[in-house]
Each structure stands twice: as C-alpha cells, then as structure tokens.
Amino acid sequence: MRIPFVAGNWKMHKTAAEAVSLVDALFPQLNTLHTIERVLCPPATALAQVHQVLKGSAIGLGAQNMYSEEAGAYTGEISPLMVKEFCRYVILGHSERRTLFGETDESVNRKTNAALAHDLIPIVCIGETLSENEAGQTANVIIRQVADGLKGIDARLASKIVIAYEPIWAIGTGKAATGQDANQVVARYIRPTLAGIFGSGAAQDIRVLYGGSVKADNATEFFNQPEIDGALVGGASLKAADFIGIAQAAAASQQ
Ligand code: PEP
C-alpha cells in the first residue's frame, strides 16, 4: 500500500510572514487528513518560521532545493544539514531548476544520494518538454532521467524516494496531462525503470506523483489512476481553499 502524497511547491512566493499566514489558513483542515501524507514546501527563507508553526503536527515541511555537500565555499546554497534542521522532505531536480539553473541528471543524482544519506525524503522531479513530447521522445527522456537520477542508490532506501512526474508543458500552463496519459507514462516507463534499478518489489513501494496544473477540480482524475499516488502542486498550493480541495480529493480517493 502506497500512502497518498500531496505536496505544495510554493516556488519563489511568500515572505516568511506571508508563509505563516498561509499555513495558518491551511492548518485546521489539512491537519485532519490523517490518511494522506501532506507536505508544504515554502521558500528557504520561511522554513524556520513555518517549522515553528508545524512543530508537533503531522504536516510535513520540505525545501525546494539543496546542494549535495554538507558545508563549504558554495555561496548561496543550502546543505542537507541545514535542510534537515527544519525539514523531512526536499524537492530535487524541479524542471525550473533544470531549465533555468543548469541542473542535470548528474547533479540531481548527487543531491538525491545526499538527501537519502541525511535521512531526508527526496521528491525527485522528472518530465519531458513539449518538443520532446511532440517528437515522440517522452519514453527516452523519462527513462534516462529516472535511471541517471537514481544511479547508485541502495535498494533498501528505495521506498523513501518520491518521484514527481511533471511534464514541463503542463507546469503553470493550465494545460494538465490527462489522468490516463500520465498513468501510462508511470506504468510503461517510470515503474519499469524503477524495477530495473531496485527490483520489482521495491519499485512497487515508491510513490509516483503527477504534477502540472493540478487543481481542486481535476485532482480526482489523477488520484483515481492506479499508478499515480498523489500530486506535486504549484500554483494551486498558494491558495488555501484550492490546496485543501486537492488534499481532500487525495484522501477521498482512498475510500
Ligand atoms: C510545479 O511547479 O511543480 C507545478 C506542478 O506547478 P503548477 O501546479 O502550477 O503547474
């Protein structure tokens, strides 16, 4: 049984005070959804304050990125030890990191290994561009991102990994994939590649999320798919009612 997982990626939105206000608005209802794993990923500058608010609750806190080294001359970066002070989760290899900040499968692999070594749960993002999709390259891209991104990871740690399949053409565009198409990408390319790396038993334990224009009104379409275990939500995670609606849809999909 894979526990449904819903995470909000707030990207570069919200000062620390604004982040605390959004958590205050989310908390009462999000806190009641005990059957799903729910995670908030505010900007790094808000992690300490949001951590104080969430302390003692079952709502998880995640960073949006980190570097793979523990400390050193890496201006502007934050380390796994620093993330660990406040968070249990970290988003890695988001497409905005890959396309705007030069991240590669190799850097994502180093970061994923570092996250697991520090007992953090990595949410590893993968996904094809529109031109790759139109050129029939989705399978190649996805298989490569999974295989290279997760290279060298001990199969005993596999169940801690969360994969977010986020077709880049669906992120922030309002044009989500269909539930069926996203499910097929997981069933045909992601899960078999995970099985090749970790063995088929371990691959069955790994949660795979869909991300890309998930809203309260289309979330159920994804959560009803057998291979999709939740969602990584961008825009809609910034509005309390919308994110609560998505989390409630995830909880309802279990019944
Ligand atoms: C994301 O940034 O991970 C994302 C899925 O964004 P949105 O929900 O806004 O498409």
Side-chain angles (χ1 to χ4, degrees), residues 9 11 94 166 170-172 211-213 232-235:
N9 172 15
K11 309 195 188 196
H94 189 281
E166 302 203 302
I171 295 180
S213 298
L232 180 56
V233 184

Side-chain angles (χ1 to χ4, degrees), residues 2 11 29 40 43 52 89 120 132 185 210 214 227 231 241:
R2 301 188 294 262
K11 309 195 188 196
Q29 281 168 289
L40 305 177
Q52 283 303 319
Y89 304 84
L120 289 162
E132 288 164 342
V185 170
Y210 168 77
V214 175
E227 291 289 351

Side-chain angles (χ1 to χ4, degrees), residues 61-111:
L61 184 60
Q64 298 175 13
N65 179 36
M66 68 172 200
Y67 195 52
S68 46
E69 298 297 320
E70 286 189 354
Y74 304 105
T75 302
E77 295 292 328
I78 59 173
S79 86
L81 295 175
M82 295 165 186
V83 172
K84 192 73 209 289
E85 258 191 295
F86 305 117
C87 301
R88 175 119 182 80
Y89 304 84
V90 59
I91 297 172
L92 297 174
H94 189 281
S95 63
E96 288 148 18
R97 302 289 326 162
R98 293 179 190 255
T99 56
L100 302 173
F101 301 101
E103 296 221 9
T104 61
D105 292 330
E106 289 65 38
S107 63
V108 173
N109 179 249
R110 282 194 295 277
K111 291 177 178 199

